[in-house]
Amino acid sequence: MRTLFFIGFYLYVFAVLNSCASLNSEMILVYTDQNNNRYTITANEIEYKAIQPEESSSGIYSGGTDKIAPISSGDFKKINSISELLFKEKSSHAIRREMMTSVLKRNYHGKSEQVILYTSENRTAFEILLKDLTTN
């Protein structure tokens, strides 16, 4: 009886640790555009959180309506590919958040990193892709 208890306990601990490891290995990207609209991207979906007028610096600008859109694995690969370029493209990195900059954060395998981005060709392509995927 005691042996069965330990086997059951071992299997439970293994399952819990395994599920924690898979949570840590899932990549999450968070992109905050120059207007402070936020996109949270996982392998399965994009969540768009629009800034509201009372939150905007002008007190007037609205990012529209919050949305959640499913994405394919191919779409996620495109997003990830461009995000990799943005992390590597040091010439477009800013030291601090300024007007017209955006922020890209990546959480993967328990590691978190962030870059502040000036406008660039890759950033524009990234934004177009995110907008296309959240409006279709």
Side-chain angles (χ1 to χ4, degrees), residues 1-18:
M1 189 62 127
R2 184 175 236 189
T3 304
L4 286 176
F5 171 79
F6 284 112
I7 290 172
F9 180 75
Y10 173 78
L11 291 174
Y12 172 78
V13 169
F14 179 77
V16 168
L17 290 176
N18 196 28

Side-chain angles (χ1 to χ4, degrees), residues 48-110:
Y48 173 73
K49 179 76 172 141
I51 190 165
Q52 300 304 308
E54 60 273 7
E55 301 168 314
S56 74
S57 59
S58 68
I60 300 169
Y61 173 77
S62 171
T65 307
D66 295 351
K67 299 171 191 158
I68 297 177
I71 59 171
S72 69
S73 61
D75 292 332
F76 184 73
K77 285 178 184 176
K78 286 180 201 172
I79 292 167
N80 191 40
S81 177
I82 299 173
S83 75
E84 281 294 320
L85 293 173
L86 292 169
F87 274 99
K88 291 178 182 176
E89 190 177 59
K90 303 286 187 203
S91 62
S92 69
H93 294 180
I95 294 172
R96 65 178 183 277
R97 186 79 194 264
E98 303 169 8
M99 288 196 62
M100 302 306 292
T101 60
S102 61
V103 179
L104 178 60
K105 296 178 185 179
R106 174 172 50 194
N107 296 308
Y108 190 55
H109 289 297

Side-chain angles (χ1 to χ4, degrees), residues 112-127:
S112 181
E113 55 187 324
Q114 164 182 305
V115 288
I116 301 170
L117 302 165
Y118 289 117
T119 302
S120 71
E121 225 176 89
N122 287 324
R123 186 181 111 175
T124 300
F126 190 70
E127 290 174 350

Side-chain angles (χ1 to χ4, degrees), residues 17-29:
L17 290 176
N18 196 28
S19 68
C20 290
S22 68
L23 284 174
N24 286 338
S25 67
E26 183 180 344
M27 181 180 293
I28 299 172
L29 295 167

